[in-house]
Amino acid sequence: MVFDLSLIKKVYSEMPAKIDAARKLLGRPLTMTEKILYSHLHGSLPVSAYTRGKDYVDFAPDRVAMQDATAQMALLQFMTCGRSKVAVPSTVHCDHLIQAKIGAKKDLQLALETNREVYDFLASISDKYGIGFWKPGAGIIHQVVLENYAFPGGMMIGTDSHTPNAGGLGMVAIGVGGADAVDVMAGLPWELKMPKVIGVKLTGKMSGWTSAKDVILWVAGQLTVKGGTGAIVEYFGEGADSMSATGKGTVCNMGAEIGATCSLFTYDDKMSAYLKATGREEVAALADGIRDHLRPDAAVYADPEKYYDQLLELDLSALEPYINGPFTPDLATPVSKMKEAVEKNGWPAKLEVALIGSCTNSSYEDISRSASIVKDAISKGIKTKSEFTITPGSEQVRYTIERDGFIKEFEDAGGIVLANACGPCIGQWARHIDDPNRKNTIITSFNRNFAKRNDGLASTHAFVASPEIVTALAMAGTIAFNPLKDKLTNEKGEEVMLNEPTGFELPPKGFAVDDAGYQAPAKDGSGIQVKVASDSKRLQLLEPFAAWEGTDLKGLKLLIKAKGKCTTDHISMAGPWLKFRGHLDNISNNMLIGAVNFFNEKTDSVKNQLTGEYGAVPATQRAYKTAGIGSIVIGDENYGEGSSREHAAMEPRHLGVRAIIVRSFARIHETNLKKQGMLALTFANKGDYDKVQEDDSIDIAGLTAFAPGKPLTVVLNHKDGSKDEVLVNHTYNEQQIHWFKEGGALNLIRKQFVK
């Protein structure tokens, strides 16, 4: 089945003329990124070219994808906007609420029972508004999108930070918050600051133990977790053309960990082959017909430094496998130096759990290469020395690898196959451990490894590597093992080496599946009732946020001054809290409980200025809200990095926080705050972060003259009677200031559709 074929034909028929017009406007050759962006403008071309990193631009994405955890809040917002049907093709994917505990079948059955009311809500609201619904067990959103919806030259948004996975098929695919998804589903323009473009020129070809995962692990080490902020990363060159489409998807998926708006590869034969293998021969033929428009212009290839804001070059032939971590995805260590790093840093060398799969690395190629290592190890008398789990990315992949014998090989070696869902990658893991406070090590082929991310334990040192390296280390039982050179001792006491992995980019017998898990929406949803019980603890209909009162803000209390890394996991944890993603008031009880308080170095412990006592962050904020007092959150660098979850913005808004003031923001979180009518501000002088004291009463002046490019003034009134006045910057344009004044972007949408 080919989804959205008429839409794809329309995009491709219009693309050549739009690209030619954009080339004339810019007066120069174009990168592939620019070709896609300028051919997806909402409305006509501007009079002059947009300035990268400066101008806000309205786009018209081709489609929207939502995973079940974020879809709840996105669709609760959408159902209030007054439309009878989504304006663009949209889908919901049930992948986040399945907890990994025992194994695929039992875990899926338990999830169906536990989450029934949420699944019923998502199925009914999808049915009503014309949204495609992928049932629990169908697979992880990004893998399902790659297999069914992604197409070269297209543009999509998704309510998950790893939406850029679709860049593996040459698509501009951007992670957003639910309010952005509402804009597009309502048929409104979607706003984004014109991204800068970082070029990564790949030469040579990978071999041996090296895989596509090592490309992004290397790039993360080069750019760090915020080096890609405000930019699209475009991979090109002979090395890029040599990589499989799913390998490209891996690179683009984990590009979220460098803060990139998204990543993409230029169209080539590997993408064409993947489209054909997944039943989209017609799409491949259409893309082949405009191939030159789906690649950078020749002059860009010839002199890339002229056309990219930053250029990295990597010879794949010389690339060795990497292991990144712990606690951050950009701490990159070549496998040849890992033993030395373990000893130097005192990381626990013993590997307790090795986990492969997830949306990042669950392709047929990944699984077949990992299975070859397992098969080789068993033949040499070696079985896994660590707990070993395998997470297929979709039912199509799972069915195919079972047919081809790979699942049996994993299970024979002691592996456990988990459900086709996110599971441990997002903290949905009932991990078995003797002492949760004991320092321990795990390694995954996932994308994110912040403290507590996988199992909720601060003591866990989580590392990230390719599925091949993770599988080899599972056989060794230690992260201080280099499969390229080191030997293992088998059951007979013999020293053996593991062979280099081998595998298949695509299944030789083709993909197969009995039931992919797709449910088409009703043709007419007007009579369908959305299922939300009035007494539900997991779902709550939304009330509009209040508009700005029209004055400067005075007497705000400091809620917390967060120290160091504060991701969306710290602001709104996942794991057990996922069950409340559709109930704003209940999930607000996790607000900022993972953030470290600067003043006492503790989590979930802040001073209540009304009582002088220390208590939980949400409870303290609820006390301020009851007293009719607003508050401020102070943050450090790259505040809000990580997941796209807009709950991290909605919870503070719901509980009465008025502004977030930080040294710098991650892109998605800053946008999410703006959408909800919050003030997202940055210190003009980053050192002013140090001036904020625990008992401060804070004023924000200049709001009555709030304007683009005009700083605001924050007055820190200290307990001793002294005060500091500091300038804070913002990136609000006229429309975003309107969001603030109206109490949120959704309030404006309602005015357009609800009469």
Side-chain angles (χ1 to χ4, degrees):
M1 178 180 180
V2 180
F3 292 95
D4 310 326
L5 186 58
S6 60
L7 178 150
I8 297 170
K9 286 180 177 178
K10 183 176 185 293
V11 170
Y12 284 171
S13 67
E14 297 175 353
M15 204 167 190
K18 289 182 176 180
I19 290 172
D20 287 341
R23 193 180 290 112
K24 290 175 183 176
L25 176 71
L26 274 67
R28 59 168 175 77
L30 302 179
T31 64
M32 183 179 175
T33 296
E34 290 169 319
K35 291 181 178 182
I36 298 175
L37 293 178
Y38 275 94
S39 64
H40 282 84
L41 296 178
H42 193 282
S44 57
L45 279 174
V47 176
S48 58
Y50 292 113
T51 302
R52 294 178 187 171
K54 181 180 179 181
D55 293 334
Y56 281 94
V57 183
D58 285 342
F59 291 104
D62 300 311
R63 66 172 302 103
V64 173
M66 298 163 280
Q67 40 93 337
D68 52 354
T70 53
Q72 295 173 61
M73 197 57 69
L75 293 176
L76 283 165
Q77 292 176 86
F78 178 78
M79 68 185 290
T80 70
C81 79
R83 280 197 66 107
S84 60
K85 191 175 182 179
V86 291
V88 302
S90 304
T91 51
V92 168
H93 304 258
C94 296
D95 61 0
H96 272 55
L97 300 179
I98 302 169
Q99 186 182 50
K101 188 174 184 179
I102 301 169
K105 290 183 179 180
K106 290 184 178 179
D107 291 346
L108 177 58
Q109 187 57 46
L110 181 60
L112 289 170
E113 296 168 3
T114 304
N115 305 309
R116 176 57 58 196
E117 69 169 314
V118 173
Y119 294 146
D120 286 348
F121 161 71
L122 292 173
S124 65
I125 199 169
S126 296
D127 223 12
K128 184 174 183 65
Y129 293 109
I131 298 168
F133 182 71
W134 290 82
K135 295 179 285 188
I140 306 173
I141 176 172
H142 313 302
Q143 181 67 25
V144 173
V145 165
L146 196 70
E147 292 174 2
N148 296 278
Y149 298 110
F151 65 96
M155 183 181 194
M156 68 172 282
I157 61 170
T159 59
D160 190 281
S161 57
H162 294 103
T163 300
N165 189 82
L169 277 179
M171 194 173 198
V172 165
I174 301 174
V176 299
D180 281 341
V182 172
D183 283 349
V184 178
M185 290 189 293
L188 300 175
W190 174 63
E191 183 187 70
L192 177 72
K193 185 179 286 186
M194 181 59 84
K196 294 182 178 181
V197 187
I198 297 174
V200 181
K201 182 179 180 181
L202 301 179
T203 59
K205 188 176 182 179
M206 293 178 294
S207 62
W209 285 91
T210 306
S211 76
K213 184 62 163 276
D214 299 306
V215 175
I216 186 57
L217 294 177
W218 178 86
V219 170
Q222 299 296 306
L223 292 178
T224 78
V225 290
K226 62 178 184 176
T229 302
I232 290 179
V233 182
E234 181 172 308
Y235 293 83
F236 65 97
E238 61 175 3
D241 293 345
S242 73
M243 294 169 59
S244 68
T246 51
K248 292 176 171 73
T250 292
V251 174
C252 295
N253 179 297
M254 198 174 160
E257 310 321 316
I258 57 172
T261 301
C262 70
S263 305
L264 77 159
F265 281 75
T266 59
Y267 184 65
D268 58 19
D269 291 341
K270 299 288 190 178
M271 294 186 193
S272 181
Y274 184 76
L275 286 169
K276 293 170 184 173
T278 50
R280 292 173 284 174
E281 293 87 351
E282 293 163 288
V283 178
L286 290 168
D288 288 339
I290 61 165
R291 178 180 289 248
D292 288 345
H293 296 291
L294 300 175
R295 292 173 68 86
D297 287 338
V300 175
Y301 273 113
D303 193 3
E305 289 187 353
K306 286 178 62 176
Y307 303 101
Y308 295 102
D309 295 285
Q310 183 179 351
L311 182 66
L312 299 179
E313 296 190 41
L314 175 62
D315 179 1
L316 298 181
S317 303
L319 180 66
E320 71 170 295
Y322 273 77
I323 298 176
N324 286 26
F327 306 129
T328 186
D330 59 349
L331 180 56
T333 305
V335 70
S336 61
K337 297 181 180 178
M338 192 62 186
K339 184 176 182 180
E340 176 186 337
V342 169
E343 293 173 353
K344 178 182 177 182
N345 294 288
W347 299 329
K350 180 184 177 183
L351 178 60
E352 305 207 4
V353 193
L355 308 96
I356 66 168
S358 84
C359 65
T360 320
N361 278 109
S362 58
S363 67
Y364 188 89
E365 180 180 30
D366 292 327
I367 298 298
S368 65
R369 283 171 62 85
S370 294
S372 76
I373 297 169
V374 170
K375 187 175 182 179
D376 176 54
I378 290 176
S379 72
K380 293 173 178 174
I382 297 169
K383 286 192 176 183
T384 56
K385 293 184 176 63
S386 307
E387 187 178 336
F388 184 42
T389 71
I390 303 92
T391 302
S394 70
E395 175 58 16
Q396 178 167 269
V397 166
R398 189 212 63 79
Y399 188 96
T400 305
I401 64 172
E402 182 177 47
R403 177 201 68 188
D404 293 349
F406 298 146
I407 285 182
K408 184 177 187 303
E409 289 176 0
F410 287 129
E411 291 177 340
D412 287 347
I416 298 172
V417 178
L418 301 176
N420 314 324
C422 300
C425 185
I426 61 162
Q428 280 284 58
W429 183 21
R431 186 181 170 193
H432 316 287
I433 187 169
D434 55 351
D435 179 4
N437 297 312
R438 174 174 56 79
K439 285 175 63 175
N440 70 98
T441 287
I442 67 172
I443 191 165
T444 80
S445 69
F446 306 162
N447 45 41
R448 195 164 280 164
N449 64 335
F450 304 134
K452 301 184 181 181
R453 168 75 180 184
N454 303 119
D455 59 8
L457 304 179
S459 55
T460 295
H461 293 56
F463 295 84
V464 178
S466 69
E468 296 92 330
I469 292 298
V470 172
T471 303
L473 298 189
M475 301 299 163
T478 173
I479 57 167
F481 173 72
N482 179 3
L484 284 72
K485 294 184 178 180
D486 297 345
K487 294 181 178 180
L488 296 173
T489 303
N490 68 11
E491 299 163 341
K492 299 178 181 178
E494 302 167 333
E495 288 193 337
V496 298
M497 281 193 71
L498 296 174
N499 289 341
E500 292 179 350
T502 59
F504 304 91
E505 289 185 8
L506 298 167
K509 299 177 184 177
F511 285 107
V513 67
D514 270 350
D515 177 7
Y518 176 69
Q519 178 178 302
K523 290 183 179 180
D524 179 8
S526 58
I528 294 173
Q529 292 293 316
V530 177
K531 298 178 181 178
V532 178
S534 59
D535 60 348
S536 174
K537 303 299 183 186
R538 297 191 62 176
L539 297 164
Q540 178 188 47
L541 298 178
L542 295 174
E543 296 291 333
F545 289 132
W548 172 56
E549 54 267 69
T551 63
D552 289 342
L553 302 179
K554 296 184 181 296
L556 305 176
K557 300 300 184 185
L558 174 68
L559 176 61
I560 186 172
K561 180 177 177 179
K563 180 179 180 180
K565 188 183 285 287
C566 191
T567 72
T568 48
D569 279 283
H570 296 90
I571 304 167
S572 176
M573 287 184 177
W577 291 95
L578 281 171
K579 61 179 174 285
F580 296 124
R581 283 286 180 87
H583 197 295
L584 182 55
D585 194 58
N586 282 346
I587 198 169
S588 293
N589 289 321
N590 79 357
M591 185 188 73
L592 285 158
I593 62 175
V596 176
N597 182 359
F598 179 91
F599 298 105
N600 61 9
E601 302 281 338
K602 295 180 179 180
T603 58
D604 203 23
S605 175
V606 295
K607 189 174 184 179
N608 182 331
Q609 292 192 45
L610 301 179
T611 65
E613 298 177 351
Y614 285 84
V617 182
T620 303
Q621 181 54 39
R622 287 186 187 275
Y624 292 151
K625 183 178 182 179
T626 300
I629 299 170
S631 66
I632 296 277
V633 170
I634 301 295
D636 214 320
E637 294 281 9
N638 207 29
Y639 182 89
E641 70 174 280
S643 169
S644 70
R645 68 190 65 147
E646 66 180 340
H647 297 78
M650 294 186 77
E651 291 172 29
R653 181 74 168 99
H654 172 66
L655 292 183
V657 176
R658 300 303 301 270
I660 312 291
I661 308 174
V662 302
R663 282 176 162 150
S664 66
F665 280 108
R667 175 191 63 86
I668 299 177
H669 187 62
E670 182 182 22
T671 301
N672 286 346
L673 290 167
K674 292 178 179 180
K675 285 279 185 177
Q676 300 303 332
M678 291 277 285
L679 287 172
L681 310 171
T682 57
F683 292 106
N685 176 2
K686 292 186 178 184
D688 287 343
Y689 168 92
D690 298 318
K691 294 179 180 178
V692 180
Q693 298 178 21
E694 190 171 32
D695 294 295
D696 282 351
S697 179
I698 303 169
D699 305 328
I700 301 178
L703 289 174
T704 54
F706 197 7
K710 185 177 181 180
L712 299 172
T713 299
V714 169
V715 182
L716 304 172
N717 298 292
H718 305 310
K719 189 176 182 180
D720 64 4
S722 65
K723 65 181 180 181
D724 281 300
E725 290 191 6
V726 302
L727 280 182
V728 291
N729 295 328
H730 64 84
T731 60
Y732 288 74
N733 59 25
E734 290 287 0
Q735 176 175 267
Q736 294 166 348
I737 290 172
H738 205 25
W739 296 344
F740 166 73
K741 290 180 177 179
E742 290 290 331
L746 189 57
N747 289 348
L748 283 172
I749 295 176
R750 288 193 189 98
K751 287 185 176 181
Q752 292 186 50
F753 294 107
V754 180
K755 303 301 182 184

